[in-house]
Structures are given as structure tokens and as C-alpha cells.
């Protein structure tokens, strides 16, 4: 047992509680004002970690097999979080939340299409790929809330017909239409259909959505920490996400440009949406639909969904919650992690992905120049040299 009252330890900085059999921590652990490091590795019965002080710089909770929730909503520090081997983790408060996908949510997205019923949804299983815990599990369909983005994943080979702009492949563009008087842009919905190209070969699963305003030259990337595959990984899965920018504030995070889409996007602006799920994973179709306040019926309906399970995060959360993407193999209806490997095709894919994620147009390769220079993804010295070479043009 851990003493229920830890308030008498105001100078405590490091606390190691590894390999214990408790199911919870006392709430008073959140009252330790100088606690900077907490180790909970191999506490296999631990189910939740309560709210902790903002002084925390390190939290290690590896191989906590029963851990489901962590409260980091008041965390404002920079440090490290280690959660490898926590397969049941479903929520870090203030950052993300996983919940069972009910028929009422599906119908709000798709309408009463008859594709799914209250009885059929629980029977649909998916692989859950968690890059925070580096765990792969099988569970019923889940809905994901992360960074004011609400996502669902469904076994479908097409995206909803109400998406105003759709395209084959991984890129779709639109021109912002005129806004009615009193109508305000509040976000957008993005959808993609994807599948593992060849399940006999490993894939590198690292999803990203990059949205670029070409007219005003700013962009925003989103990489979910948790995503899904069908049990038969070559079967299509449709990812549909709502992005809400209502709570985003200028200046909070220089890397988060979502507030610019809300405040600066105007009629006539061109938006490019590019979706990449990873190496050896095909994006077959994608689409985007703008959301507005009070003017667009579909937008109003989807904004209602976003407000149900919004899970915002600050830049500090994003620095603290570092994750590493995984190489995956597929064998007998089960996905497992494998050691990294890379060949020339992977390296070419990686360079092109980085360029697209930064919203930089591809520069045609000139004879004698390396791919790195051609894509402007190299060291400062090489960039300067490349600039000198193209100035005469």
C-alpha cells in the first residue's frame, strides 16, 4: 500500500514505485510541488494515473498492462513520457481519448445509410496501432479525439457523398467559395480510404494529413498517434475526421497554424490536402469539406459531434508526448512490430514525404544534382549551394 496522504513530502523530487501491485495512486500524489520524476514501470495492476503537478519532467510507466487513463491536463513542462507496453491505454486527459464507436455517431456522419446497425458495429474488429505505447491490439471500432480533431474509422471503400471535393489518390484541392453574410469558417472534415498494398511485405505506418493554403502560404500537419487497420489488412478502411479550430489561439504554438485557417482564410484561397499513411500503404481516395457556423447544414451537424469529445492539447503536451512510428508485419490475421529496415525505395519515399509535409513544391531535378537538393530537404550548407546554382535561372 502507498500512504494515502503524501502532502507531508513537499521537497520530494524523485519517486520510484516500479513493480508494485497497486491498482491506483492516491490523489495526493498530485500535491507534491517539486516532483519532477516518477517511475511506475511494471506496475501490472495499475489502472490510472491521477492529475500530477506541472513540475513533472519525466514519467515512465512501461509495461503497465492494465493502465487505461492518465491525467496530464495541467501539465506544462517539457520532458519525457515512456509508455511502451501499455496495451489498454485509451485516454491521456488533455491530449487524446479513445471510445467505443456507437451507431448514433456513425449516423451523424453518414446518415441512416443502412450500412451499419447497432448490433453489427460491436462485431466489427480492427487492429489498433498505438505509436505512443508501441502496442498493436485487436478491438471493436473506436472513435478518436485528439487535438480538437474527432475521427472515426469504418470498413468502407468510398467516402461520404456529401464531401464537396473528392479525388482519386492522396491529393485533393479546392478554392474557398464565397461566404454568406455572418457565416464564419470553423474547420473542415477530411476523409481518406486506405489499405496495406502488399501484406506479404512490411510497411512503415506513419499517417499524416498536410493542409496547405497556397494563396497565403501557410500549412498545418496532423499525425495521429493512434490509427487502425482492418483484420484483413488489404481490405479498405475509411478514415473520416472533423477538424475544429474554434479554440485555437494565435501565438500559443508557432508550429500550429490552425488559427490561421480560421482567422485568415478568405474567399478564393486555394487549399491543398495531402494524405500519406506510410510506406507500402495506399491512399485510394480522399476528400475535404469545409465547415461553417450556422450556414452549412452538414457543417453544423459535424460541429455538434466535435464538441461532444473535444480533446485539446498545448505545444507542451506535443513535446512531452513524443512517439515513434513503427515497422509492421502481418501474419495470420495479426499485425506485429518488427525491426526497422530501409532500402532505396523507402529512402526516396521518405524524402518526398518530408517535402510534401512541409508544403514545399517539388523542384525538378537537374542533371548531376542529388535527390536531396532537388527536394530542398538537406543541410543548410547544401541549401545555400543549391540557391547559388539556381539564381542565374
Amino acid at each position: 500500500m502507498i500512504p494515502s496522504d503524501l502532502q507531508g513530502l513537499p521537497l520530494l523530487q524523485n519517486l520510484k514505485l516500479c513493480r508494485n501491485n497497486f491498482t491506483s495512486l492516491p490523489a495526493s500524489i498530485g500535491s507534491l510541488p517539486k516532483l519532477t520524476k516518477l517511475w511506475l514501470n511494471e506496475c501490472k495492476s495499475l489502472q490510472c494515473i491521477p492529475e500530477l503537478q506541472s513540475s513533472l519532467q519525466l514519467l515512465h510507466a512501461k509495461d503497465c498492462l492494465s493502465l487505461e487513463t492518465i491525467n496530464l491536463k495541467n501539465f506544462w513542462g517539457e520532458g519525457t513520457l515512456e509508455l511502451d507496453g501499455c496495451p489498454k491505454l485509451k485516454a491521456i486527459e488533455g491530449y487524446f481519448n479513445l471510445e467505443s464507436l456507437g451507431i448514433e455517431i456513425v449516423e451523424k456522419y453518414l446518415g441512416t445509410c443502412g450500412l451499419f446497425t447497432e448490433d453489427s458495429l460491436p462485431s466489427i474488429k480492427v487492429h489498433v496501432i498505438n505509436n505512443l505505447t508501441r502496442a498493436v491490439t485487436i478491438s471493436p471500432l473506436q472513435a478518436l479525439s485528439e487535438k480538437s480533431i474527432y475521427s472515426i474509422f469504418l470498413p468502407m471503400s468510398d467516402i461520404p457523398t456529401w464531401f464537396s471535393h473528392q479525388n482519386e489518390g492522396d491529393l485533393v484541392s479546392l478554392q474557398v467559395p464565397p461566404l454568406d453574410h455572418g457565416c464564419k469558417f470553423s474547420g473542415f472534415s477530411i476523409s481518406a480510404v486506405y489499405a496495406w498494398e502488399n501484406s506479404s511485405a512490411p510497411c512503415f505506418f506513419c499517417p499524416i494529413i498536410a493542409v496547405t493554403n497556397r494563396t497565403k502560404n501557410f500549412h498545418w500537419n496532423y499525425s495521429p498517434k493512434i490509427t487502425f487497420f482492418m483484420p484483413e489488412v488489404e481490405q479498405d478502411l475509411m478514415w473520416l475526421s472533423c477538424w475544429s479550430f474554434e479554440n485555437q489561439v494565435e501565438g500559443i504554438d508557432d508550429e500550429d497554424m490552425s488559427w490561421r485557417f480560421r482567422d485568415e482564410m478568405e474567399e478564393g484561397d486555394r487549399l491543398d490536402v495531402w494524405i500519406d499513411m506510410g510506406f507500402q500503404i495506399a491512399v485510394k481516395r480522399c476528400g475535404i469539406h469545409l465547415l461553417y457556423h450556422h450556414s452549412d447544414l452538414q457543417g453544423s451537424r459535424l460541429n455538434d459531434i466535435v464538441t461532444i469529445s473535444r480533446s485539446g492539447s498545448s505545444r507542451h503536451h506535443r513535446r512531452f508526448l513524443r512517439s515513434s512510428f513503427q515497422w509492421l508485419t502481418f501474419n495470420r490475421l495479426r499485425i506485429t512490430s518488427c525491426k526497422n529496415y530501409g532500402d532505396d525505395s523507402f529512402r526516396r519515399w521518405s524524402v518526398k514525404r518530408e517535402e510534401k509535409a512541409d508544403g514545399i513544391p517539388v523542384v525538378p531535378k537537374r542533371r548531376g544534382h542529388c535527390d536531396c537538393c532537388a527536394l530542398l530537404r538537406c543541410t543548410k550548407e547544401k541549401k545555400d549551394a543549391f540557391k547559388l546554382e539556381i539564381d542565374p535561372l
Side-chain angles (χ1 to χ4, degrees):
M1 296 293 293
I2 301 176
S4 59
D5 188 0
L6 298 176
Q7 294 179 352
L9 302 170
L11 301 181
L12 183 64
Q13 297 181 22
N14 302 332
L15 179 58
K16 294 186 178 182
L17 298 172
C18 301
R19 293 178 292 280
N20 278 289
N21 199 37
F22 44 72
T23 59
S24 62
L25 297 171
S28 58
I29 197 171
S31 64
L32 300 174
K34 293 187 179 295
L35 184 65
T36 58
K37 297 180 181 180
L38 176 61
W39 289 267
L40 298 167
N41 298 328
E42 298 183 63
C43 292
K44 299 185 184 299
S45 299
L46 180 64
Q47 298 177 6
C48 63
I49 299 176
E51 181 179 339
L52 301 170
Q53 286 279 355
S54 60
S55 59
L56 192 70
Q57 295 292 309
L58 178 147
L59 174 59
H60 283 194
K62 296 182 178 181
D63 300 314
C64 294
L65 302 182
S66 303
L67 184 63
E68 295 184 354
T69 61
I70 303 174
N71 190 332
L72 290 180
K73 65 180 181 180
N74 291 328
F75 178 78
W76 294 101
E78 296 183 20
T80 59
L81 176 68
E82 296 287 347
L83 295 171
D84 291 6
C86 299
K88 293 187 177 180
L89 186 67
K90 62 182 181 181
I92 298 181
E93 189 170 350
Y95 189 74
F96 84 88
N97 181 66
L98 277 174
E99 59 185 352
S100 297
L101 182 60
I103 189 64
E104 68 282 356
I105 298 298
V106 174
E107 290 183 346
K108 285 181 179 179
Y109 274 101
L110 304 180
T112 54
C113 60
L115 295 177
F116 306 97
T117 66
E118 187 173 358
D119 294 330
S120 67
L121 275 179
S123 65
I124 302 174
K125 306 296 183 181
V126 290
H127 286 100
V128 183
I129 316 296
N130 191 322
N131 286 309
L132 281 174
T133 64
R134 299 192 64 77
V136 181
T137 58
I138 297 178
S139 78
L141 291 171
Q142 305 279 302
L144 171 67
S145 302
E146 185 182 15
K147 291 173 56 178
S148 297
I149 298 174
Y150 190 80
S151 297
I152 66 172
F153 297 77
L154 292 167
M156 297 175 59
S157 296
D158 210 344
I159 60 181
T161 57
W162 53 260
F163 267 75
S164 54
H165 293 77
Q166 305 185 25
N167 196 30
E168 299 290 336
D170 59 9
L171 179 66
V172 62
S173 301
L174 68 84
Q175 190 172 32
V176 178
L179 297 181
D180 296 337
H181 178 71
C183 187
K184 185 178 180 181
F185 174 70
S186 62
F188 38 69
S189 291
I190 293 175
S191 184
V193 175
Y194 65 93
W196 199 323
E197 286 184 311
N198 179 8
S199 60
S200 63
C203 75
F204 187 64
F205 196 41
C206 49
I208 187 173
I209 298 177
V211 183
T212 303
N213 187 318
R214 293 293 182 193
T215 305
K216 293 187 171 61
N217 195 28
F218 59 83
H219 69 279
W220 189 35
N221 294 342
Y222 169 52
S223 294
K225 300 297 186 293
I226 302 171
T227 37
F228 305 84
F229 271 119
M230 292 299 295
E232 291 284 354
V233 296
E234 294 181 15
Q235 181 181 347
D236 292 344
L237 194 65
M238 188 270 294
W239 174 18
L240 196 159
S241 62
C242 280
W243 299 30
S244 174
F245 302 144
E246 295 179 7
N247 290 343
Q248 307 303 319
V249 180
E250 176 181 358
I252 287 184
D253 189 347
D254 293 337
E255 297 180 359
D256 188 344
M257 292 289 102
S258 58
W259 61 269
R260 296 195 67 176
F261 284 96
R262 180 196 61 202
D263 296 342
E264 298 183 16
M265 196 166 71
E266 297 176 327
E267 173 187 346
D269 285 4
R270 176 191 164 190
L271 295 185
D272 286 349
V273 178
W274 171 73
I275 302 172
D276 185 73
M277 301 302 295
F279 183 64
Q280 300 286 16
I281 304 172
V283 176
K284 300 181 179 181
R285 189 171 185 85
C286 62
I288 181 172
H289 182 79
L290 299 181
L291 304 181
Y292 307 92
H293 271 315
H294 308 303
S295 178
D296 182 89
L297 178 60
Q298 298 288 353
S300 298
R301 183 183 67 186
L302 293 175
N303 281 333
D304 291 341
I305 296 176
V306 175
T307 58
I308 292 174
S309 300
R310 178 176 289 116
S311 180
S313 68
S314 70
R315 58 178 172 162
H316 307 287
H317 283 126
R318 292 196 286 281
R319 292 174 182 173
F320 188 60
L321 294 171
R322 296 183 179 92
S323 67
S324 56
F325 295 115
Q326 304 180 63
W327 283 96
L328 305 174
T329 57
F330 179 71
N331 185 30
R332 294 183 181 179
L333 299 181
R334 184 167 293 276
I335 296 176
T336 56
S337 296
C338 67
K339 293 182 179 180
N340 290 5
Y341 89 102
D343 54 14
D344 289 340
S345 60
F346 172 75
R347 284 188 284 271
R348 287 194 297 270
W349 166 84
S350 181
V351 171
K352 291 180 180 179
R353 172 189 165 97
E354 186 177 2
E355 177 271 331
K356 287 185 177 180
D358 285 345
I360 302 173
V362 176
V363 177
K365 182 178 177 182
R366 296 174 61 193
R367 179 177 297 179
H369 290 191
C370 66
D371 286 334
C372 184
C373 288
L375 294 172
L376 295 180
R377 304 306 307 156
C378 43
T379 63
K380 182 179 185 298
E381 291 75 17
K382 286 188 177 180
K383 284 181 179 177
D384 291 343
F386 180 62
K387 182 176 186 296
L388 291 174
E389 290 172 355
I390 66 172
D391 277 343
L393 299 178

